[in-house]
Amino acid sequence: MNFTRWSARLPGTQRRAAAARAEHPVTTTDRRSEGSGPGPGSVPAARVEQLTDEPPPVPAVDELPAREVLDRVPALVALVHGTDHRLAYVNDAYTAAFGVRPIGEPAAEALPELRELGLMPLLDQAQRSGKPRTLKSRKAPDGRSYTFTCTPVPENHGESVVLVFATDVTDHAEAAERLRTSERRQRETAVTLQRSLLPQELEEPDDLRIAATYHPGGTEAAVGGDWYDVITLGGGRTALVIGDVMGRGVRAAAVMGQLRTAVRAYARLDLPPHEILQLLDGLAMEIDANQIATCVYAIHDPNEGRLVYASAGHLPILVRDESGTVLRADEPTGPPLGTGGWMHASGSIPLGPGSTAVLYTDGLVERRNEDLDEGIAALERALAGATGTPQVVCDRLVRSAGVTADHDDDVAVLVLQHPARTGPDSELFRNAALELLGGVEAAPRARAFASGVLTSWRFPAELHDLGVLATSELVANSLQHGIPPMRLRLRRTDRRLIIEVTDGDDHLPRRRRAEPADESGRGIAIVATIATSWGSRRTPGGGKAVWCEFVLPKPSD
């Protein structure tokens, strides 16, 4: 408040001016000099002011009537005294906001609005400590928001006095609420987009049991680009992927969606994991050169009992074997996707019957002021003691990591189990293999082998005949276009029959239309027609595998 302009009217100022005139009386000559122009021997009034050593008048703030000032202050002011905080004064602004208040009554009764806002303990604290206490941005019964400050003042006749000062911050509070609403909507949009881009239902491979969970971070900034996916490749093989786009918000979720779609497309090529990451690396640079992502792509083949994987800067896969020992797949690991200039490599880790594997993002193990290895080690200990279904294991790992609704980072976890089947269940999962040796006699031997195996598996006659025909065509194709070593493998699950032939030539077959005069070229077309699905892939050691599968009829069919 600027009191200078008021000082000429204040009583204290007028008294000091009178005292100054008594000490330095003004003569008639002086008054005449002030009232007339300069004459001989006279000094102009302005000149006298310039030469004097007297300071200008000081505003008499000390003698300003306090009540008159407080009555005019636009903020809400109340004065209470005594241990029961009896009301001594409220200003006009307070009365306008809450109505007339009874003077002399305890504040709990005279100022019910303060009691509703929880201000009574604040008055006690200010009174005991002798220090101001503040309650920020509270919405009062009049619908407006105030910041209350309780300030103790010097005692009055032995009684403690507290000044309650309330500043109207409604505009600030409304602006803050609009900002919070906007941030909530942005977060909801990002979370909705994130969840819509994740698989709504996980594919269910025959040989694996899988569960996954995603927990968005507790703030808009924590909603990121974590994703996971399960892709059945055919022939009993399954691809599993988990990744994390570095960044937050809708942009990270959008980039994640593009990468996940690309992974599913590349997976259909049935390439080794490191080649999939190589393709993703180039795509990530095209999507956004400033956006990078970590990723693990793994393939499970139940016939091999291993998980073959490649990692682009992601955290290691953890596997608990049937005995409860936890293994960590550390190598090989390349830089994140989007960095370019790196040749990724594939590695493998055992995943036999009875094993459980966990793929996860950094939100599960990374904590501020803690080493990342400590978080991974804690997850290993939690996995060693986590038993039950994949969903139960998933939930236990999340709880053990302390992930809550206000977690500061998003979390994705993918748990897969390769069950150890015994008893009647084991009869539904069978394997049979035959090394294809010799020349023209290999085809009839393969047909006889397939017929005997399918008969022992008690397949219906129609499926038996289709299986023998598909075996004959795949073996004939391998004998004509492939090179040794050749191998026939039959596998059944509770859902399908899989027939696969491998050889040493890496030239992949393709389906083509055979002309009427052609003597060959119909084998793959026949297989594609009679089987539910078929495919081919290159094998790691050089060569290829061609497979087809038939969906088994349900028991009720």
Side-chain angles (χ1 to χ4, degrees), residues 26-54:
V26 180
T27 62
T28 305
T29 304
D30 294 335
R31 285 195 297 270
R32 187 170 56 249
S33 298
E34 293 173 4
S36 62
S42 65
V43 180
R47 188 74 169 175
V48 172
E49 291 177 2
Q50 292 176 2
L51 297 177
T52 182
D53 292 332
E54 289 294 328

Side-chain angles (χ1 to χ4, degrees), residues 420-432:
R421 295 180 172 87
T422 57
D425 192 33
S426 64
E427 295 296 320
L428 300 177
F429 292 82
R430 305 285 293 275
N431 285 280

Side-chain angles (χ1 to χ4, degrees), residues 318-335:
L318 301 182
V319 176
R320 186 190 66 207
D321 62 19
E322 193 172 13
S323 66
T325 303
V326 177
L327 306 176
R328 182 189 300 193
D330 288 327
E331 298 292 343
T333 300

Side-chain angles (χ1 to χ4, degrees), residues 231-288:
I231 309 164
T232 52
L233 301 177
R237 301 164 73 248
T238 306
L240 306 118
V241 58
I242 194 165
D244 183 2
V245 176
M246 296 183 184
R248 296 290 180 262
V250 175
R251 177 58 183 166
V255 172
M256 175 274 287
Q258 296 178 74
L259 290 177
R260 176 176 174 259
T261 302
V263 169
R264 295 194 69 86
Y266 293 150
R268 298 307 174 192
L269 301 176
D270 213 343
L271 299 172
H274 66 276
E275 293 189 26
I276 296 290
L277 292 190
Q278 214 69 50
L279 293 172
L280 285 175
D281 185 36
L283 179 65
M285 295 181 66
E286 294 179 9
I287 293 175
D288 189 342

Side-chain angles (χ1 to χ4, degrees), residues 233-541:
L233 301 177
R237 301 164 73 248
T238 306
L240 306 118
V241 58
I242 194 165
D244 183 2
V245 176
M246 296 183 184
R248 296 290 180 262
V250 175
R251 177 58 183 166
V255 172
M256 175 274 287
Q258 296 178 74
L259 290 177
R260 176 176 174 259
T261 302
V263 169
R264 295 194 69 86
Y266 293 150
R268 298 307 174 192
L269 301 176
D270 213 343
L271 299 172
H274 66 276
E275 293 189 26
I276 296 290
L277 292 190
Q278 214 69 50
L279 293 172
L280 285 175
D281 185 36
L283 179 65
M285 295 181 66
E286 294 179 9
I287 293 175
D288 189 342
N290 298 319
Q291 197 89 47
I292 61 176
T294 64
C295 179
V296 166
Y297 184 89
I299 296 177
H300 176 256
D301 189 334
N303 297 297
E304 298 176 359
R306 301 187 70 81
L307 198 63
V308 180
Y309 67 93
S311 175
H314 204 78
L315 299 171
I317 300 172
L318 301 182
V319 176
R320 186 190 66 207
D321 62 19
E322 193 172 13
S323 66
T325 303
V326 177
L327 306 176
R328 182 189 300 193
D330 288 327
E331 298 292 343
T333 300
L337 303 176
T339 56
W342 181 267
M343 294 300 294
H344 292 275
S346 293
S348 67
I349 187 170
L351 188 70
S355 298
T356 300
V358 178
L359 290 76
Y360 52 96
T361 57
D362 59 359
L364 186 67
V365 295
E366 191 173 31
R367 298 291 181 272
R368 294 178 182 176
N369 304 321
E370 289 186 12
D371 188 77
L372 182 60
D373 284 337
E374 293 179 4
I376 298 175
L379 181 61
E380 289 179 343
R381 292 191 294 270
L383 177 60
T387 58
T389 66
Q391 189 60 60
V392 170
V393 173
C394 204
D395 294 340
R396 288 181 177 177
L397 295 181
V398 170
R399 285 198 302 270
S400 69
V403 177
T404 59
D406 58 351
H407 195 61
D408 60 359
D409 195 5
D410 51 347
V411 174
V413 183
L414 183 65
V415 174
L416 57 137
Q417 291 180 346
H418 187 185
R421 295 180 172 87
T422 57
D425 192 33
S426 64
E427 295 296 320
L428 300 177
F429 292 82
R430 305 285 293 275
N431 285 280
L434 174 68
E435 299 295 332
L436 298 174
L437 302 175
V440 293
E441 72 276 7
R445 286 183 61 244
R447 286 194 294 269
F449 175 78
S451 178
V453 169
L454 298 179
T455 300
S456 69
W457 289 349
R458 300 178 182 179
F459 283 164
E462 181 181 359
L463 183 58
H464 171 278
D465 294 342
L466 290 176
V468 172
L469 177 57
T471 299
S472 178
E473 295 298 335
L474 291 180
V475 170
N477 181 80
S478 181
L479 289 172
Q480 182 174 359
H481 301 288
I483 59 176
M486 300 179 186
R487 192 167 187 258
L488 168 65
R489 183 166 63 189
L490 283 76
R491 175 174 173 77
R492 72 155 296 169
T493 70
D494 59 343
R495 304 177 193 172
R496 71 198 77 233
L497 165 66
I498 303 166
I499 303 170
E500 182 179 81
V501 176
T502 60
D503 64 57
D505 185 81
D506 63 358
H507 179 74
L508 299 180
R510 60 185 179 87
R511 183 180 181 182
R512 65 184 180 88
R513 183 186 297 275
E515 297 298 331
D518 291 343
E519 296 182 359
S520 63
R522 294 182 175 85
I524 295 300
I526 292 173
V527 171
T529 301
I530 65 175
T532 305
S533 60
W534 78 280
S536 62
R537 70 180 187 280
R538 291 186 173 88
T539 53

Side-chain angles (χ1 to χ4, degrees), residues 126-141:
Q127 191 178 66
R128 288 193 302 268
S129 65
K131 298 179 180 179
R133 292 289 184 267
T134 299
L135 191 65
K136 293 184 178 180
S137 191
R138 290 294 187 271
K139 196 167 186 177

